[in-house]
Amino acid sequence: MTPTLIWILVALIAVGVYLSWTAGRLDRLHARIDATRAALDAQLLRRASVAQEVATSGVLDPAASIVLYEAAHAARQSEEEHREVAESELSQALRAVFADPQQVEAVREAPGGESAARELTEAARRVPMARRFHNDAVGAARRLRQHRKVRWFRLAGHAPFPMAFEMDDEPPTALAERGA
């Protein structure tokens, strides 16, 4: 009887260690989601700020300035539940305003425009990367949370189910071509 109890105890310890390791892995994934979301928020804020700078610089025609400024302002001021839509609208406004490569050249030729155009190009390029990193972390956490062992033993605790950030993040082609 003693060897049987020892084997049962060893098996329980092994299961406990495995579940503890899985819970730790899930916790690290949730921490990674928080970090990538913070990076995504920073890139979105940077893109909106640079877009507002360009819109108020006076180098764009008045209609383009208004469209770009309003979209950037809406993206910066949007509440969390409407953020994806507001950021998508800013992407669409950037593509509409900078659809013509001559518009990008007009911004570059203005005083201080070269640095503003470079910042806008970098911001438009970094947003898709930050969103991809965030959504990859969310996907990994979702896959792990769907395992039976995680659900049965409630290893996720009270952490909310991770949500991907879905938006239109395609940069304007005129900026992408020039920035490359």
Side-chain angles (χ1 to χ4, degrees):
M1 175 127 174
T2 305
T4 305
L5 286 176
I6 291 174
W7 282 112
I8 290 173
L9 185 63
V10 167
L12 287 175
I13 290 173
V15 168
V17 167
Y18 178 70
L19 291 176
S20 175
W21 176 80
T22 303
R25 180 173 170 224
L26 189 57
D27 186 50
R28 286 188 303 275
L29 283 171
H30 282 129
R32 188 171 132 206
I33 288 170
D34 291 341
T36 58
R37 179 58 189 239
L40 175 62
D41 286 342
Q43 292 304 322
L44 292 171
L45 180 63
R46 181 172 180 240
R47 180 180 76 154
S49 298
V50 173
Q52 273 186 321
E53 264 183 50
V54 171
T56 58
S57 67
V59 297
L60 300 174
D61 63 88
S65 292
I66 290 171
V67 167
L68 190 57
Y69 181 82
E70 286 181 355
H73 181 71
R76 289 184 69 179
Q77 300 299 319
S78 65
E79 294 183 19
E80 193 60 36
E81 59 268 6
H82 304 293
R83 183 105 188 259
E84 293 172 346
V85 173
E87 294 295 344
S88 293
E89 289 173 354
L90 177 56
S91 295
Q92 293 166 359
L94 283 167
R95 281 196 307 272
V97 169
F98 294 107
D100 185 12
Q102 293 166 344
Q103 188 75 285
V104 177
E105 290 305 318
V107 170
R108 289 184 191 281
E109 291 170 1
E114 185 67 35
S115 66
R118 185 175 38 251
E119 284 183 50
L120 188 58
T121 300
E122 288 174 9
R125 183 177 48 86
R126 288 180 180 171
V127 165
M129 287 189 296
R131 188 177 74 86
R132 197 171 315 120
F133 289 145
H134 173 69
N135 288 349
D136 287 348
V138 166
R142 280 181 167 184
R143 283 188 297 278
L144 184 58
R145 285 183 70 154
Q146 289 174 347
H147 288 164
R148 279 189 215 126
K149 65 181 175 265
V150 173
R151 289 183 313 212
W152 287 351
F153 293 102
R154 299 176 188 228
L155 298 180
H158 297 289
F161 195 73
M163 300 301 291
F165 193 85
E166 297 300 332
M167 64 171 269
D168 174 10
D169 60 2
E170 183 180 335
T173 55
L175 286 176
E177 289 171 0
R178 178 71 185 219

